[in-house]
Amino acid sequence: MRLTIFWDRMADHFGEAYADSFALDHVMTELGGRTVHEALAAGWDAKAVWRVVCSSMDVPADKR
């Protein structure tokens, strides 16, 4: 998954303003105690991060 698609999906689910705030502030144990931004910077695949966000935040199946 390209990062542009990842961020489009984040904005679609959380809203344009909250998506980045969530990605900066919300620490997830499934990402090794990292935020979305930290996980991506550490080299996590965007698709793997998106799957974690989906399962953790109950993203509807049609948006996954």
Side-chain angles (χ1 to χ4, degrees), residues 5-59:
I5 294 170
F6 173 83
W7 289 113
D8 285 346
R9 289 182 181 185
M10 288 284 289
D12 183 52
H13 180 68
F14 292 105
E16 202 61 46
Y18 185 62
D20 194 52
S21 177
F22 173 86
L24 284 169
D25 299 331
H26 191 81
V27 175
M28 302 197 219
T29 56
E30 300 89 348
L31 295 176
R34 295 177 178 94
T35 66
V36 167
H37 277 288
E38 291 169 337
L40 292 171
W44 281 61
D45 179 65
K47 190 171 192 173
V49 174
W50 179 243
R51 286 181 179 152
V52 169
V53 171
C54 288
S55 65
S56 298
M57 302 307 295
D58 295 323
V59 174

